[in-house]
Amino acid sequence: MAAATPPAALPQAAALTQSVDWVALTPVVIPAALAVAVLVADLFLPRGRKVLLGWLSAAGLLAAALTLIPLRDGHRSTFCQKAGGCSYAADHFTLVVQALVLGGALLTVLLSISAVGGTDEGAGRMPAGEYWFLLLSSAAGAALLPASRDLATLIVALEVTTLPAFALVGLRREDRLSSEAALKFFLTSVTATAVSLLGISFVYAATGTLNLSQVAAGLTHTPDQLHTLAKAGVALTLVGFAFKLAVAPFHFWVPDTYAGAPLPVAAYLSVVGKAAGFSGLILVTVVAFRPYTHVWGPAIGVLAALTMTVGNVGALRQRPGVPRGAVRLLAWSSIGQAGYLLVPMAAAASAGDPAHEIGTTVAYALMYAVVNLGAFAAVALVERTAPHSRLADYRGLYARRPAAALALAFFLLCLAGLPPGVIGLFAKVAVFSSAVGEQHGWLAVIMAVNVVVALVYYLRWTALLFARAPEGAQAPDAAGAAAARTPLALTAALALTAAAGVALSGAPQLVLRYAQGTLL
Amino acid sequence: MNDTALQYVLAATVALPLLGAAGALLPAPPGLRGRSPDQAVLRHGVTVTGAVLILAIVLAAGFDHDHPARMQGTTDLSWIPALRIHLHLGVDGISLPLLVLTALLTFLCALYSYFHLPAGGSAKSFVALLLLLETGTLATFAVLDLMLFFLAFETVLIPMYFLIARWGGGDRERSALRFIVYTLLGSVVMLLGLLLIGIKAGTFDMVALATDNGSHLGHSTQLIAVLAIGLGLAVKAPMWPLHSWLPDAHTAAPTAGSVLLAGVLLKMGTYGLVRIVLPDTPDGIQTFAPYLAAFAVVGIVYGSLACLQLARQGNGGDLKRLIAYSSVGHMGFVLLGIASLNPTGVNGALFANIAHGLITGLLFFLVGAVKDRYGSSDLDQLAGRTGAALYGRAPRLGGLLAFAAVASLGLPGLAGFWGEMLAMFGSFDPAAGLSRPAYLTFTAVAAFGTLLTAGYLLTVVRRICMGDKDTAELTPALPDVRGYEFAAWTPLAALTVVAGLWPAALLGLTDPAVRSLLGGH
């Protein structure tokens, strides 16, 4: 993977050797190397054993996540220049986001195993080697992103994350919806990158550096004639990131893309894709553009309010009979949740200690990752017997599959932030608390209204799970019974997320401690 | 009993229903299977709520009645240091009666449902939800941390939503959604107020905040906090004009749901006002108290007028809806007592809280029984042209209904009298700094409200309990009060009489605690 050796980090002077701290890089290198290995192994494996590739990917991601443990003191950095400043830093912020990304990718793999490759490559199936290669490449990019400390590495990592994702979205053969979704996603994303690059070039012109902390230093004393250029650069870079993050008003591609993409890919985009985007936005705003808080602070506040409102209203308008309504609802809800994630960042602009507020975003993202992936796992389970995946298919799920229904209800209530979803409640409390603490009362009030709006659709879905099943609808025939046998990987994904959600509800401190500590 | 033992009893009281709710979802262990799975799980519900009631009684017995102002049985463990949230539990003279009332009403509901499960869903989920609801309500009265209070406040929403939406009648899903959206909107705004207090004062600890008496909070902070918190609690209480979720929810809810909604859930609002708003933000409430009092007396009159309208012949009034509106009126007295900001009024409010829980709980039980027997709670259908003649057809049921009705209208000697009397006394001579003439007006209006209350309750008694001889001898004969109904109702009726004849038992508990909370005045 090219991403592992970003060009900007190469020393420009004659000293051609650079000591590279490979230990710090392992969480990125393992998925990247594994991606290539899986692609090659795919050529030699007989068709019947391709399922092994999935388990191999899962094991690799688990190993990558385990390598975070020796790094946990958070003092390593590499690709450093003599002039000062490193391009790769494995600090606490990096490690937490990497854990989120690798864990999210791992769960995505578990969700995908039953949908990918295997014995029959019918219309709905996806080619195994390519799928795992693309997924692991994207995960490697997402793991690199939070560690990047210069703008070029950041953009490269962002592209490594998203480029394989286009292919993943369109991977389902002979599916018109899928290719349309991929095209939509591709076009918006390329536009976003172009705008970001333009912005970064402006910033580079104004400051003469790409290193994030040096950019911050450079922006404090830009020459007068370059002031406008610097401001425009900051604005354009942020617009680019806003596109990627599906922040309103750049959110329109999300519902169609999620609905058209294979389900595990939608889950991946909603969690890992968002996490990568957010860590990038945090690095750009809080580290690089820190002197311009008065520019991006209010802008992010407005975007947060807009995003959560648009997402929640969109979700509210979903009707139960629409095909793929469940995924569409989760897509709209993910837009709404992205709005909540932006709130602490808006508060960070006026905070004396931005790192504290950033920790709240990270804590919320961790909670969201666990419960959202759990919800997707439950949807994947239901989709096996009800391929249309309408919301109406969930009616009476509790009678058919009590465990899955209880788990899904728990995840939805976590997303809504109501007990028994205690962790969802306290993650929201942390976000509210950062908004109230930094005098963003108006944002807190808008968010309060949004939480109530969101409750309506989450609760409607939850109530559907426990409603009485329609008369005579359930006469499971032989085919239905075969499909109803849950694959091991899917069960594992559901059980893992449910156990994590319950554990976090009992001890919210596990994730909320990031809301208190200093991450960056 | 020493304080450590009391501490464990209190913690067990709150935790036991939660464990019971989880246990209800699991299959019954061998030996406890009973006649059928449904019977086993309903029995589980009765056992757990019974055990909680016993714990609550032990708590009341072990409570040091000589020092009711002191927090007793306190547990204080750090839970989420990042948000400075502590697992802080404790009980004093204000929360103790409410804890016992909650445990009692939930037990009676479980007992009643054991014999008479409403149609709608499985017994398993009913019991699990009932126990989850009990955890939430008990925790609300036992916690001493603002964020835990919020957590407990929210915990009751989901179980009550499902109790109404699954086991209710009529337009139940809409009513349930309305209930939860209204309450959540209020409680999220309340959260903002609680966070404001916590962040400005640097602690969420209710004991520390009450001791400070708002000395660390600026005037404008207090105003905003009171407005936000008050709004959330006023929706719950409910205060006119934020009451409009209540009649629908009550009408749609099953009997157990109505009893707990009126008997316990509404108290969470007024308890929050006394426990949080009065001591933590005294300056803020000083400013808003007259408005609170004004809304309270409007609520009294509005509730009574709505009831009079529903009670009239030909209006098709629903009996459950009528009692729901009467709750708006009764809770108006509670709010008026609180708004007077003096010990008399607040004591009256707390007394009226308990009395309303007992009497309205009983009334909802009785109305539920009437509805079961007639298949309708429409007053016109029940009464026909001349009256339903319950005295003749089911004398004990009729007698109890008349008893509950006169208790509700505040007959001296029964529980309903003291609370409303004291609330009006308090408002007659409000705390220093409040406008006396305004409060005199409020008192006068509230007194007029008691007349209206007597008017509609007596109308109801006349139309339901009395009637002509032909109706009284109609066949088939109406079944009179059954054994389990007696078991569920007698404690409430007995306590209504006890509280009416011996108010000092309750006031002796609340008065020192109230005086210490109002220390700033």
Side-chain angles (χ1 to χ4, degrees):
Chain A
M1 290 290 295
T5 52
L10 291 175
Q12 284 146 13
L16 288 174
T17 55
Q18 190 182 33
S19 77
V20 174
D21 183 356
W22 289 100
V23 180
L25 286 175
T26 40
V28 182
V29 172
I30 291 181
L34 193 66
V36 181
V38 166
L39 190 63
V40 175
D42 179 47
L43 299 174
F44 299 104
L45 269 182
R47 182 162 282 189
R49 326 232 356 214
K50 287 201 172 160
V51 94
L52 283 179
L53 293 177
W55 290 109
L56 181 66
S57 309
L61 286 167
L62 186 64
L66 289 178
T67 59
L68 293 172
I69 295 173
L71 300 174
R72 68 181 181 282
D73 56 353
H75 295 309
R76 286 172 184 260
S77 55
T78 185
F79 297 119
C80 296
Q81 283 170 303
K82 286 214 174 64
C86 298
S87 291
Y88 185 103
D91 55 17
H92 285 120
F93 171 77
T94 306
L95 296 175
V96 176
V97 179
Q98 279 179 339
L100 194 168
V101 164
L102 295 172
L106 176 62
L107 284 167
T108 311
V109 170
L110 292 179
L111 289 187
S112 320
I113 283 178
S114 60
V116 177
T119 44
D120 54 330
E121 280 199 20
R125 297 258 163 182
M126 292 169 286
E130 290 91 322
Y131 183 87
W132 300 122
F133 167 70
L134 291 168
L135 187 64
L136 289 169
S137 311
S138 177
L144 172 63
L145 203 132
S148 318
R149 289 296 178 275
D150 73 52
L151 288 168
T153 316
L154 204 60
I155 283 290
V156 170
L158 197 58
E159 285 313 298
V160 174
T161 314
T162 41
L163 277 171
F166 308 138
L168 282 173
V169 168
L171 204 59
R172 221 161 28 183
R173 288 172 189 162
E174 301 155 24
D175 187 335
R176 201 182 50 79
L177 201 63
S178 176
S179 8
E180 188 192 316
L183 190 66
K184 242 180 202 170
F185 183 30
F186 176 70
L187 288 177
T188 41
S189 196
V190 167
T191 320
T193 311
V195 173
S196 271
L197 282 173
L198 186 65
I200 287 173
S201 67
F202 284 5
V203 171
Y204 182 64
T207 60
T209 177
L210 287 173
N211 183 285
L212 295 181
S213 37
Q214 286 167 9
V215 166
L219 284 177
T220 44
H221 40 77
T222 29
D224 277 347
Q225 70 268 33
L226 293 179
H227 211 67
T228 321
L229 188 72
K231 257 189 184 159
V234 169
L236 286 175
T237 313
L238 291 184
V239 167
F241 274 94
F243 254 107
K244 288 261 177 202
L245 284 171
V247 167
F250 314 119
H251 65 279
F252 51 87
W253 57 272
V254 172
D256 287 342
T257 304
Y258 284 19
L263 189 82
V265 177
Y268 178 80
L269 286 177
S270 78
V271 171
V272 180
K274 279 224 157 62
F278 271 103
S279 43
L281 194 59
I282 287 173
L283 289 173
V284 170
T285 52
V286 176
V287 182
F289 299 160
R290 200 163 179 170
Y292 279 45
T293 45
H294 58 285
V295 178
W296 56 261
I300 288 190
V302 171
L303 287 180
L306 203 61
T307 307
M308 61 177 93
T309 312
V310 165
N312 286 326
V313 170
L316 198 61
R317 288 172 53 214
Q318 291 302 307
R319 291 288 158 253
V322 183
R324 300 197 65 73
V327 183
R328 272 179 193 279
L329 187 88
L330 284 176
W332 282 110
S333 108
S334 83
I335 299 176
Q337 300 278 346
Y340 306 148
L341 280 167
L342 285 172
V343 170
M345 298 178 60
S350 53
D353 175 22
H356 183 277
E357 314 301 327
I358 291 319
T360 308
T361 295
V362 172
Y364 194 91
L366 284 170
M367 180 286 293
Y368 166 76
V370 170
V371 297
N372 207 48
L373 282 170
F376 267 105
V379 170
L381 195 69
V382 173
E383 226 182 50
R384 294 174 59 80
T385 44
H388 290 303
S389 197
R390 294 167 305 178
L391 280 176
D393 295 330
Y394 290 80
R395 177 173 283 278
L397 185 68
Y398 181 66
R400 282 173 279 149
R401 290 169 165 274
L406 281 179
L408 181 56
F410 175 70
F411 296 136
L412 290 174
L413 291 179
C414 276
L415 285 171
L418 268 188
V422 177
I423 180 62
L425 178 105
F426 280 121
K428 284 210 171 61
V429 167
V431 171
F432 273 122
S433 151
S434 104
V436 172
E438 298 305 331
Q439 318 290 335
H440 281 58
W442 64 276
L443 198 52
V445 171
I446 290 179
M447 181 170 162
V449 174
N450 267 286
V451 168
V452 178
V453 171
L455 169 83
V456 175
Y457 62 82
Y458 287 128
L459 194 63
R460 223 188 253 158
W461 193 357
T462 312
L464 215 51
L465 300 175
F466 298 100
R468 261 154 290 182
E471 293 294 317
Q474 287 311 311
D477 45 21
R485 211 176 46 238
T486 316
L488 172 67
L490 210 50
T491 317
L494 201 58
L496 270 178
T497 46
V502 172
L504 291 180
S505 288
Q509 177 68 7
L510 288 176
V511 294
L512 288 178
R513 67 198 170 106
Y514 300 115
Q516 151 193 57
T518 308
L519 280 176
L520 268 172
Chain B
M1 200 189 304
N2 65 20
D3 212 49
T4 320
L6 207 61
Q7 174 188 351
Y8 286 116
V9 172
L10 181 63
T13 315
V14 177
L16 188 63
L18 187 63
L19 297 176
L25 290 176
L26 303 173
L32 287 176
R33 293 231 170 88
R35 286 194 302 277
S36 70
D38 277 5
Q39 192 255 353
V41 76
L42 285 170
R43 194 180 56 192
H44 169 78
V46 176
T47 319
V48 174
T49 51
V52 173
L53 177 61
I54 290 171
L55 283 173
I57 291 171
V58 170
L59 189 70
F63 187 81
D64 180 359
H65 289 258
D66 296 333
H67 303 95
R70 190 168 58 83
M71 275 298 162
Q72 302 184 20
T74 49
T75 309
D76 193 355
L77 302 169
S78 179
W79 186 31
I80 313 176
L83 297 174
R84 285 175 294 188
I85 297 175
H86 287 242
L87 280 177
H88 193 175
L89 303 175
V91 59
D92 70 353
I94 294 176
S95 45
L96 182 67
L98 286 163
L99 281 171
V100 177
L101 175 75
T102 305
L104 174 70
L105 279 177
T106 316
F107 170 68
L108 297 180
C109 284
L111 188 69
Y112 184 79
S113 309
Y114 178 77
F115 294 98
H116 187 91
L117 181 71
S122 71
K124 203 192 221 180
S125 26
F126 183 86
V127 171
L129 291 170
L130 192 71
L131 290 172
L132 188 58
L133 186 70
E134 188 178 24
T135 309
T137 41
L138 287 173
T140 308
F141 299 132
V143 297
L144 295 172
D145 183 288
L146 291 183
M147 287 300 110
L148 279 193
F149 178 80
F150 174 71
L151 173 68
F153 205 77
E154 299 278 81
T155 305
V156 302
L157 295 183
I158 290 289
M160 190 41 96
Y161 170 83
F162 279 106
L163 282 179
I164 298 175
R166 294 296 304 284
W167 286 271
D171 196 5
R172 53 186 187 209
E173 274 166 29
R174 241 183 104 80
S175 309
L177 193 64
R178 201 161 177 202
F179 154 75
I180 198 166
V181 166
Y182 259 80
T183 327
L184 186 72
L185 191 59
S187 58
V188 179
V189 174
M190 177 179 84
L191 170 66
L192 299 184
L194 296 178
L195 283 171
L196 189 64
I197 290 186
I199 288 170
K200 296 283 179 193
T203 176
F204 287 119
D205 188 281
M206 279 148 89
V207 179
L209 286 167
T211 320
D212 280 352
N213 261 130
S215 54
H216 293 318
L217 301 170
H219 188 65
S220 52
T221 307
Q222 293 203 16
L223 287 184
I224 298 172
V226 168
L227 205 58
I229 300 175
L231 198 68
L233 297 171
V235 171
K236 195 90 176 183
M239 178 186 82
W240 181 90
L242 304 171
H243 67 281
S244 59
W245 59 270
L246 181 91
D248 286 345
H250 269 306
T251 314
T255 301
S258 303
V259 170
L260 291 176
L261 194 56
V264 182
L265 262 63
L266 304 189
K267 277 51 188 186
M268 293 163 60
T270 45
Y271 172 78
L273 283 174
V274 174
R275 173 69 78 204
I276 299 174
V277 175
L278 290 192
D280 298 0
T281 51
D283 294 353
I285 190 65
Q286 186 88 14
T287 307
F288 284 110
Y291 302 97
L292 179 62
F295 282 123
V297 292
V298 173
I300 295 173
V301 174
Y302 174 88
S304 313
L305 288 177
C307 288
L308 271 178
Q309 175 74 4
L310 288 168
R312 272 181 57 183
Q313 192 160 4
N315 281 347
D318 186 289
L319 209 48
K320 282 181 120 176
R321 180 172 283 270
L322 186 144
I323 296 174
Y325 271 112
S326 87
S327 289
V328 177
H330 287 303
M331 294 313 278
F333 282 102
V334 178
L335 292 172
L336 179 66
I338 294 172
S340 72
L341 299 186
N342 61 18
T344 319
V346 177
N347 274 313
L350 290 170
F351 195 98
N353 246 353
I354 302 290
H356 178 258
L358 294 171
I359 298 168
T360 309
L362 181 58
L363 270 173
F364 271 115
F365 268 131
L366 293 166
V367 171
V370 169
K371 190 174 177 179
D372 288 336
R373 285 167 172 75
Y374 283 87
S376 161
S377 54
D378 184 305
L379 204 51
D380 283 342
Q381 277 184 29
L382 291 178
R385 280 192 334 103
T386 56
L390 218 52
Y391 283 150
R393 300 191 68 188
R396 293 192 178 111
L397 186 60
L400 265 172
L401 190 64
F403 168 80
V406 293
S408 181
L409 69 80
L411 191 75
L414 295 175
F417 172 74
W418 294 107
E420 298 184 359
M421 201 64 214
L422 285 171
M424 285 192 283
F425 263 142
S427 147
F428 184 71
D429 185 16
L434 296 172
S435 153
R436 181 93 199 275
Y439 273 82
L440 281 181
T441 318
F442 298 147
T443 315
V445 177
F448 175 63
T450 57
L451 281 183
L452 295 176
T453 309
Y456 69 79
L457 281 167
L458 292 176
T459 311
V460 168
V461 169
R462 183 176 57 71
R463 295 191 65 199
I464 296 291
C465 297
M466 305 179 190
D468 59 11
K469 200 163 183 309
D470 298 342
T471 322
E473 286 162 3
L474 271 181
T475 46
L478 216 53
D480 206 345
V481 179
R482 300 186 182 94
Y484 69 89
E485 292 175 331
F486 257 128
W489 302 342
T490 317
L492 295 177
L495 284 174
T496 305
V497 176
V498 171
L501 294 178
W502 190 30
L506 203 52
L507 291 172
L509 273 177
T510 56
D511 188 49
V514 165
R515 282 180 195 279
S516 107
L517 281 187
L518 287 174
H521 288 284

